[in-house]
Amino acid sequence: MELEFDEFVLAAATADLTDEPAARDHADAVEFRLDLAADPLVALDDYDGELPLIATNRDPAEGGEAEGSEAERLEALATASDYDAVGAVDIELASLRTSVGASVAETVRENGVSVIASAHDFEETPHASRLDDLLAAAADHGDVGKAAVTATDRDDALRVLSATHAATERGDRVATMAMGEAGQHTRAVAPLYGSKIGYAPVDPDEATAPGQYDLATLADLVERLGGR
Ligand SMILES: O=C1C[C@@](O)(C(=O)O)C[C@@H](O)[C@@H]1O
């Protein structure tokens, strides 16, 4: 199942693929967090859902819980891209800048699967020029360049929206969100400035990042604001 991100994609973020039926009313895809799942490849074998999957195996250095070596972590994503249900794979920009990461991205693309080049900052929002450079680099390495940073005030949130708009204006395909309470509204507003992916848990108690709305709420907000 292809995922090309020409339009906004709302992803139900989960470690449990049996959540998929409950996501169908609001989500365009399911982000499957392999790093949070008990037996991810068994879950992929058993998946018979309708929504395409984004496979993520988050690096512990960027807030994830993937185990094993970097090569094993990335290899699991290459394996995931072999499944027809997987339409995109999330690989951290830092990994894409290594030979192993670049090789896995090549395998993923050979399987007809999109690459989301992601970068995360759980401490702060970079200053404007750094954020611009980060989004440009991510968009250069991936089919979508993603930055999930942490806002502590309204200035941070505005910087994320401004960077999103600037990236979109220069023709880069990006996905952005400002994590945390101060950035929560950016999850609904960033799509208006060109952000192509939003993430929300089906169950509010199963958030995969700080400040996420639940799926139904984010779907409604983005719809009402005109972001999809
Ligand atoms: O990178 C992201 C974005 C995210 O961290 C968020 O802030 O919604 C949620 C993660 O599951 C996903 O892989």
Side-chain angles (χ1 to χ4, degrees), residues 89-158:
V89 164
D90 182 305
I91 304 176
E92 294 80 3
L93 175 59
S95 295
L96 288 168
R97 285 171 157 156
T98 69
S99 57
V100 174
S103 173
V104 166
E106 187 177 347
T107 300
V108 167
R109 289 197 171 99
E110 285 168 356
N111 287 336
V113 174
S114 298
V115 173
I116 301 166
S118 64
H120 303 78
D121 187 328
F122 285 83
E123 301 300 324
E124 62 179 9
T125 296
H127 56 73
S129 60
R130 166 73 181 135
L131 198 49
D132 285 339
D133 292 346
L134 184 62
L135 282 173
D140 182 50
H141 282 77
D143 300 292
V144 187
K146 175 169 73 173
V149 299
T150 298
T152 56
D153 59 27
R154 289 287 184 260
D155 284 339
D156 288 346
L158 282 172

Side-chain angles (χ1 to χ4, degrees), residues 160-186:
V160 171
L161 296 175
S162 178
T164 307
H165 181 61
T168 302
E169 289 293 291
R170 65 173 176 263
D172 285 347
R173 184 178 292 143
V174 295
T176 60
M177 60 281 308
M179 297 185 284
E181 184 181 351
Q184 185 177 47
H185 64 286
T186 67

Side-chain angles (χ1 to χ4, degrees), residues 13 31 33 56 58 90 118 120 122 146 148 177 179 187 199-200 208-210 212:
E31 182 198 36
R33 287 289 302 266
T56 298
R58 188 63 67 227
D90 182 305
S118 64
H120 303 78
F122 285 83
K146 175 169 73 173
M177 60 281 308
M179 297 185 284
R187 296 177 180 277
Y199 297 83
T208 58
Q212 286 180 328

